[in-house]
Amino acid sequence: MKKPGKKVIPTKYILSFLCVLCAGLVVLTMINSNIARPIREAVSTIILPVQKGMNQIGEWFSDKADMLKELADLQEENERLKAENEELKHENVIASQQRAELERLRELLELDDVYADYPKIAARVIGKETGNWFSIFTIDKGLSDGIGLGMNVISDGGLVGCVTYVGENYAKITTIINDDSNVSAKFASTSDVCIVQGDLKNFESGMIRVTNINIDANVKEGDMLITSQISDKYVPGILIGYVSGIEDDGNKLTKSAWVTPIVDFSQMEEVLVITQLKVTGEE
Amino acid sequence: MLRVVLVGISIIISYVFQTTFSSGISFGVAAPNIIMAFVCSYALLRGKKEGMYVGFILGILVDLFYGYYDVIGINAFLYMIIGFVIGMFHEIFYLEDILIPMAVVGVCDFLYNFIYYVITFLLRNKLDFIYYIKAIILPEMVYTIFITVFIYRLLMYFNKKLEAFEKRGEKELD
């Protein structure tokens, strides 16, 4: 196909040029990762619609598969849910009584409602990180929908992670199980503060590791772990998971725990983004 | 020209498949690396120059959206080198044999993940290499080799069609 007379640049020159280009890009984006923003926006206008379409196809298939499977289970589940509903009705009555009492006591103590309902935006997961090393997701809402950097993300009532990059129409979420994530958390029952560490190694077993718990903390299996007030990224009071094992660090100062997260990180389809940002006091 | 358009489309498709479907078909934590299978297969079928371009573009795509700390260039470099080196085998090997692409993809996926481990994990003092080999690298490698069987066959089929079409076009021009 080569036209005679037309000069062809040898492949090795192109390769060396591209190598230098890569090295240059690495250095440039290390110094300032915002340089690539315009390119990223441009490319995302091509990729995002395809990703969304592909997801819809995938969901359609899995819905059909689920439907077949579910028909059989549905009746059984209905029975179970009816029984559960009765129980819940009863519990609800007690809970509403307790809430009334709580409000009364709050008024008495002039306490603010600490765990207010946060404003949320629903979003769909449209992409996942390409390798197996990290746990990063893309959602289909971005700046234009009111998503901002550092907003917390929840799913199934549990903490997923926080927004680490926002594009015009998409955002990237780094999960709490990502290998270099750290979340400051506390135990709901005892208010002991600890650190939730994302680690690839632990997540294989379906758990996350919690470190830096005071040795005197009265923590037991089944305790609820929630985000703490002192975290600089996460709003307080979001459920993370339940303790399923405690172990002594052997240094007479701290102990560690294993926590089973609420969120099923491998099966996420829809997430809620909390649009209220954590107020850290620094500008 | 037609080839450029078709390759562009297949690059986007393989990238989108990797980001959307791969977690759906994963066993445990290991999802196959469709991009790796695509780059290697394409380079084997078309040679070092096109392999290099395809690797570079797919690597840039990966870096743009899922780059480690938003650094661009690491994946682009790795995939480009893989595309180039594998492309050199284009003239050596008998391309109908499926075992060659399988072996090539296996080796490449292992090396890629090894380098990626060194850059993103080892430098953060996560030293338990044996564990990561067992838990991440080997499962991904096996699964990617498996996926290659289909991707390579598919690419080979379309490549043949396209080559026949291009030859016909040339004859008509003469």
Side-chain angles (χ1 to χ4, degrees):
Chain A
M1 286 265 276
K2 276 176 211 162
K3 284 177 193 133
K6 191 187 168 190
K7 264 190 191 161
V8 177
I9 310 164
T11 312
K12 55 183 174 188
Y13 290 145
I14 305 175
L15 181 75
S16 347
F17 168 71
L18 288 177
C19 282
V20 175
L21 184 70
C22 282
L25 279 172
V26 168
V27 174
L28 271 178
T29 47
M30 259 178 173
I31 298 166
N32 183 1
S33 60
N34 277 329
I35 287 174
R37 205 182 168 86
I39 312 168
R40 206 172 275 148
E41 287 304 314
V43 178
S44 73
T45 55
I46 306 168
I47 298 287
L48 281 183
V50 189
Q51 267 181 336
K52 278 182 195 167
M54 204 71 104
N55 264 297
Q56 265 157 15
I57 297 168
E59 258 165 45
W60 186 81
F61 274 113
S62 67
D63 275 357
K64 283 277 175 287
D66 283 350
M67 216 138 80
L68 290 172
K69 199 170 62 188
E70 268 168 21
L71 268 175
D73 299 334
L74 225 56
Q75 219 143 19
E76 193 188 325
E77 200 181 331
N78 196 19
E79 291 291 310
R80 200 169 47 77
L81 286 176
K82 266 182 191 159
E84 207 177 294
N85 196 18
E86 289 302 310
E87 258 175 57
L88 287 175
K89 263 184 195 161
H90 176 63
E91 272 172 34
N92 197 15
V93 173
I94 299 172
S96 59
Q97 281 171 0
Q98 280 172 339
R99 194 169 61 211
E101 193 185 352
L102 179 72
E103 261 162 36
R104 198 169 47 78
L105 288 173
R106 274 216 180 111
E107 262 169 45
L108 264 160
L109 284 167
E110 291 175 347
L111 266 177
D112 279 338
D113 206 351
V114 192
Y115 307 126
D117 237 351
Y118 298 115
K120 301 179 204 78
I121 299 176
R124 204 173 269 271
V125 174
I126 53 167
K128 184 198 155 283
E129 192 245 348
T130 51
N132 292 317
W133 294 103
F134 295 100
S135 182
I136 297 168
F137 291 90
T138 320
I139 55 171
D140 65 346
K141 297 271 166 75
L143 272 180
S144 54
D145 306 282
I147 308 275
L149 205 64
M151 282 177 181
N152 298 175
V153 181
I154 57 173
S155 173
D156 308 331
L159 183 65
V160 173
C162 75
V163 176
T164 47
Y165 180 87
V166 209
E168 197 51 40
N169 290 310
Y170 75 101
K172 229 161 82 173
I173 302 165
T174 304
T175 64
I176 52 169
I177 55 161
N178 190 45
D179 201 81
D180 52 1
S181 291
N182 282 309
V183 184
S184 169
K186 69 171 188 183
F187 294 96
S189 53
T190 63
S191 291
D192 279 301
V193 180
C194 54
I195 304 284
V196 175
Q197 272 181 338
D199 191 331
L200 182 71
K201 246 166 134 177
N202 295 324
F203 191 67
E204 294 252 303
S205 51
M207 310 254 197
I208 33 182
R209 189 152 175 82
V210 180
T211 55
N212 280 16
I213 311 167
N214 196 313
I215 196 82
D216 299 323
N218 184 22
V219 179
K220 53 192 182 305
E221 274 182 37
D223 273 3
M224 219 192 248
L225 192 70
I226 58 177
T227 50
S228 80
Q229 271 92 347
I230 59 167
S231 165
D232 56 348
K233 273 196 269 179
Y234 295 93
V235 288
I238 306 173
L239 187 57
I240 296 171
Y242 294 97
V243 177
S244 49
I246 302 153
E247 103 192 355
D248 209 319
D249 280 347
N251 57 9
K252 303 243 188 262
L253 289 169
T254 57
K255 52 185 174 183
S256 313
W258 304 94
V259 167
T260 313
I262 300 285
V263 186
D264 183 355
F265 287 93
S266 57
Q267 303 283 338
M268 265 192 299
E269 275 177 12
E270 264 133 11
V271 293
L272 292 170
V273 183
I274 298 176
T275 50
Q276 184 182 326
L277 277 169
K278 173 88 182 183
V279 182
T280 47
E282 45 187 82
E283 275 303 308
Chain B
M1 197 55 216
L2 179 69
R3 174 172 285 277
V4 176
V5 173
L6 286 179
V7 169
I9 291 172
S10 51
I11 283 175
I12 292 175
I13 289 176
S14 67
Y15 172 77
V16 170
F17 256 77
Q18 178 68 42
T19 53
T20 55
F21 278 171
S22 70
S23 58
I25 53 172
S26 62
F27 285 121
V29 290
N33 194 340
I34 298 168
I35 291 174
M36 179 65 69
F38 182 80
V39 170
C40 288
S41 303
Y42 194 81
L44 268 180
L45 286 168
R46 295 292 300 174
K48 57 186 176 184
K49 194 169 179 183
E50 288 184 41
M52 177 184 80
Y53 284 137
V54 166
F56 180 72
I57 293 168
L58 267 168
I60 283 281
L61 269 180
V62 172
D63 274 334
L64 271 177
F65 293 106
Y66 297 104
Y68 181 61
Y69 279 96
D70 288 333
V71 168
I72 294 173
I74 301 172
N75 281 298
F77 177 74
L78 289 176
Y79 280 118
M80 179 177 68
I81 295 294
I82 285 168
F84 182 80
V85 174
I86 301 311
M88 293 200 280
F89 295 139
H90 169 63
E91 282 123 40
I92 305 170
F93 287 139
Y94 178 59
L95 296 170
E96 297 282 325
D97 191 353
I98 191 73
L99 286 174
I100 289 163
M102 283 167 81
V104 163
V105 167
V107 172
C108 286
D109 196 55
F110 184 86
L111 286 176
Y112 167 79
N113 272 317
F114 174 71
I115 297 171
Y116 209 67
Y117 159 78
V118 172
I119 297 172
T120 60
F121 271 67
L122 193 67
L123 295 182
R124 284 191 295 121
N125 208 11
K126 305 251 173 178
L127 303 168
D128 196 354
F129 181 53
I130 302 296
Y131 172 81
Y132 291 110
I133 281 203
K134 268 195 248 164
I136 304 282
I137 299 180
L138 282 185
E140 183 189 312
M141 191 181 95
V142 172
Y143 206 171
T144 308
I145 291 174
F146 174 71
I147 284 278
T148 308
V149 178
F150 304 102
I151 291 180
Y152 186 77
R153 290 248 161 89
L154 201 70
L155 272 182
M156 195 162 69
Y157 173 78
F158 281 115
N159 187 43
K160 265 185 188 158
K161 288 261 159 180
L162 199 58
E163 266 168 9
F165 181 80
E166 278 168 350
K167 263 188 197 139
R168 213 164 60 212
E170 267 173 58
K171 265 180 205 156
E172 273 166 21
L173 280 178
D174 284 340

